Structure formats: C-alpha cells, structure tokens
Amino acid sequence: MTISAKLSRRLYETLGDDAAGDMVDWMQRIDTQRAELRELNELNFARFDDRFARMDERFVRIDQQFARIDERFARIDERFAQIDERFAQIDERFAQIDERFARIDERLTGIDEQFARMRQDMELSFARLETRIERRTADIMKWSLAFWIGSVVTLVGALRLLP
C-alpha cells in the first residue's frame, strides 16, 4: 500500500512533521513487511507443493512395489525373504515421511511464533501512536484556548476604547 501524496500532505498538516514522518515511515515498513511475509508464504507453499509432489511420486513407487509383491505371492515359497526386505524398505520410507511431517510441524510452529511476535510489535506501535495523537490533541487544545482568550481580551479592550 503506497501512501498517496494527498494522504501524506494531510498527515503532515494534521499531525505535524515529526509524527507524520513517523506515521508514513511506519506505514511503509508495514507495507514492506507485508510484502516480505507474502513472499515467504508463497515460498513455503511452493516448498509444500514440491514435497507433496515428491511424496505422490513415492506413493506411486510404493504402489508399484505392492503390485510386484502381489504378483510374487504365487511364488511365496521361493521368495518369502525378498518380500520381508520389501516391507522393511516400505517401513523405512514411511519413517522418512513421518520425519518430514515432523519437520513441517516444527516450521509451522516457528511461523506461529513469528506471527505472535509481529502482533505484539504492532500492538506496541499502535499504543505509542495513540499516545502521540493524544499529546498532539492536548497541545492543539491549549493553543486554541490561548488564541481565543487573547482574541476575546483584545476585542473587549477595543470595545472599551470606543466612545
């Protein structure tokens, strides 16, 4: 989200140079972080898609191995030892898949922690912004009161001087 010139000018008029500059910088940082997060998510989903494609290929290979095993059951007396080896290989592959799922779960946990930290940072930033806005509003009210009191005193003085 780029900040338009009109919004930027309005912020500088309303909040002053420091606060508006901080607000514009903050919004641009949020925009950059949002884009980076979107890129990171897209990369993660691309990795998941790639891993699932590899897993599908492995499942196809496993299905092919089961088909060969079914064909060989007719000769079970001769090749019983080979079938046991095949099942061991399949168990190893399932163990590998389980390990990969565990790694995916760890990464997802890390992402959840990052989101929690970002949320805390945003809440802290919003609290600071609210404090600045409240201070600025109080300053404006003080100066406004001083202006009106001065104007009324001047007007009353001018009216008294008239004959």
Side-chain angles (χ1 to χ4, degrees):
M1 148 179 77
T2 57
I3 299 172
S4 67
K6 184 178 180 181
L7 175 60
S8 180
R9 186 182 71 239
R10 183 77 180 231
L11 285 171
Y12 279 98
E13 289 172 0
T14 305
L15 301 176
D17 289 343
D18 291 339
D22 288 345
M23 179 91 160
V24 169
D25 289 342
W26 176 79
M27 284 196 259
Q28 289 173 343
R29 277 192 316 244
I30 291 297
D31 186 41
T32 302
Q33 290 172 353
R34 183 180 296 150
E36 290 172 357
L37 182 59
R38 184 176 296 121
E39 264 185 43
L40 181 62
N41 282 338
E42 289 173 5
L43 287 173
N44 283 332
F45 282 115
R47 282 190 222 140
F48 290 153
D49 290 342
D50 184 45
R51 286 187 181 149
F52 284 125
R54 282 188 264 147
M55 285 178 13
D56 285 342
E57 291 172 8
R58 287 190 177 135
F59 280 120
V60 166
R61 282 187 268 161
I62 290 171
D63 287 340
Q64 292 169 354
Q65 289 176 357
F66 276 122
R68 279 187 255 141
I69 290 170
D70 287 338
E71 292 172 4
R72 291 178 182 174
F73 269 134
R75 296 176 281 170
I76 196 164
D77 292 335
E78 300 169 2
R79 307 187 97 172
F80 199 78
Q82 293 175 354
I83 293 172
D84 287 339
E85 291 175 8
R86 298 259 183 223
F87 278 119
Q89 290 173 355
I90 291 169
D91 287 339
E92 288 175 10
R93 289 188 177 150
F94 276 119
Q96 292 171 354
I97 291 170
D98 287 340
E99 289 174 9
R100 288 197 171 123
F101 276 124
R103 282 188 245 142
I104 290 170
D105 285 342
E106 289 173 5
R107 287 183 179 164
L108 289 175
T109 301
I111 290 171
D112 288 343
E113 292 169 0
Q114 288 175 349
F115 276 122
R117 283 193 300 266
M118 285 176 57
R119 182 183 184 113
Q120 289 173 348
D121 290 346
M122 286 177 58
E123 288 174 359
L124 181 62
S125 296
F126 281 126
R128 287 180 184 159
L129 180 62
E130 288 175 4
T131 303
R132 283 185 175 176
I133 290 171
E134 289 172 4
R135 284 186 203 150
R136 186 65 64 179
T137 303
D139 288 343
I140 289 171
M141 292 301 291
K142 288 176 196 174
W143 284 107
S144 177
L145 183 65
F147 167 78
W148 285 109
I149 289 173
S151 296
V152 168
V153 168
T154 304
L155 184 63
V156 168
L159 288 175
R160 285 193 175 183
L161 291 175
L162 291 175

